[in-house]
Amino acid sequence: MTTTSRSARARTTTKPIEEPLESGRRLGDLAYRRILEALFDRRLQAGSFISQGELVRLLDLPIQPLRDALRVLETEGILKIHARSGIEFLKADLELARSTYQFRSIIERSAARTYAETADTADIVVLIDAHQALLDRVEAEGATGAVQEAMEQLEQQFHSSIIAALRNPMIETTARRLKNHVALIRLDLTFTVPRVIRTIREHLDVLDACLARDPAAAEAALGHHFQAALQRILGMV
């Protein structure tokens, strides 16, 4: 069995931003993304305490858009702003993992039922084929950095497709924010062949139920997937 190092995982989860700095909302959005990227590639350590000045130097951002981004991230539960002292970044723990996956399960179990009822058959087949191709690749190549990146992209496509079936912008926004918590929770999770194979097969169980137009089975399979994913995160399996 092969595993990726922390540095390799960081390279596969973060892409550089090449946008020019601009005023207003776009600059605030850029600051938001840069903070998250620094956290996920470990230039900022989860659980660390850092001043605004240090963040300005680290991220090469003006102070005002940085403050705007920090306030947004505080409302999303990624950090806590301590007046006149600094910024405390969240460190994932058992309660965060449990709460995050419980919330995801509530949202996506309902979405899986709707997806099974309404998704185009061709779209379901495309996802099934993509999962099967990646499963073959994992079994042939092992847990390489490239395979991990492909798995992360496919996982986003899978869950985003299911959530989109609800046609609810508020839920889609909430789900995107939950992804940041998931990324934090997974920072110390070792990427291994058995884990990725189980994940792919759990996705396929959901998709097979959707292809069969069985909403109850799709919901049950999605619920099982989240329960199993949480157990993997907690090191129980």
Side-chain angles (χ1 to χ4, degrees):
M1 180 190 305
T2 60
T3 62
T4 55
S5 66
R6 288 187 175 184
S7 60
R9 291 203 306 274
R11 287 194 298 271
T12 62
T13 56
T14 305
K15 293 181 175 60
I17 295 175
E18 299 179 352
E19 300 177 39
L21 295 182
E22 296 180 9
S23 61
R25 181 174 177 180
R26 188 174 182 184
L27 187 52
D29 291 342
L30 180 59
Y32 175 93
R33 292 195 299 275
R34 281 193 177 173
I35 293 169
L36 288 176
E37 287 180 357
L39 187 59
F40 297 152
D41 68 18
R42 299 177 184 276
R43 285 178 291 137
L44 282 172
Q45 292 296 317
S48 64
F49 199 97
I50 187 170
S51 70
Q52 286 190 11
E54 290 172 308
L55 281 175
V56 166
R57 291 189 293 273
L58 176 66
L59 304 176
D60 189 24
L61 287 167
I63 188 65
Q64 189 54 53
L66 177 68
R67 287 174 175 169
D68 293 341
L70 290 172
R71 283 194 290 268
V72 173
L73 288 166
E74 185 175 38
T75 65
E76 295 179 2
I78 298 297
L79 54 84
K80 184 174 182 180
I81 301 172
H82 297 273
R84 295 181 295 278
S85 56
I87 314 303
E88 181 183 5
F89 284 87
L90 177 70
K91 184 170 179 61
D93 57 15
L94 173 63
E95 180 57 29
L96 178 66
R98 186 195 65 79
S99 299
T100 299
Y101 276 80
Q102 182 183 55
F103 197 3
R104 292 184 77 197
S105 181
I106 290 170
I107 294 173
E108 292 195 39
R109 279 164 47 201
S110 174
R113 293 187 69 95
T114 303
Y115 189 75
E117 294 170 346
T118 64
D120 289 343
T121 298
D123 293 338
I124 300 173
V125 170
V126 165
L127 276 174
I128 290 174
D129 289 345
H131 278 79
Q132 189 57 59
L134 185 56
L135 183 60
D136 294 341
R137 183 177 173 185
V138 172
E139 292 172 341
E141 298 180 22
T144 65
V147 167
Q148 181 177 3
E149 185 172 7
M151 181 65 213
E152 289 169 352
Q153 292 173 352
L154 185 58
E155 188 165 20
Q156 295 298 331
Q157 183 183 3
F158 169 79
H159 288 288
S160 296
S161 296
I162 289 175
I163 290 169
L166 292 174
R167 301 181 183 277
N168 186 318
M170 292 179 66
I171 290 177
E172 290 184 22
T173 297
T174 299
R176 285 194 297 270
R177 291 175 176 174
L178 282 172
K179 290 176 185 176
N180 293 332
H181 286 181
V182 173
L184 276 177
I185 292 165
R186 290 178 176 174
L187 277 176
D188 293 316
L189 183 66
T190 303
F191 183 78
T192 66
V193 169
R195 279 178 173 156
V196 73
I197 287 176
R198 285 198 292 268
T199 299
I200 291 173
R201 288 177 175 165
E202 288 161 15
H203 286 189
L204 285 170
D205 287 342
V206 177
L207 292 169
D208 287 342
C210 292
L211 189 62
R213 303 300 181 183
D214 188 337
E219 179 181 6
L222 199 287
H224 169 73
H225 168 53
F226 279 130
Q227 183 179 37
L230 180 57
Q231 288 177 337
R232 284 192 288 272
I233 286 168
L234 301 180
M236 296 173 61
V237 295

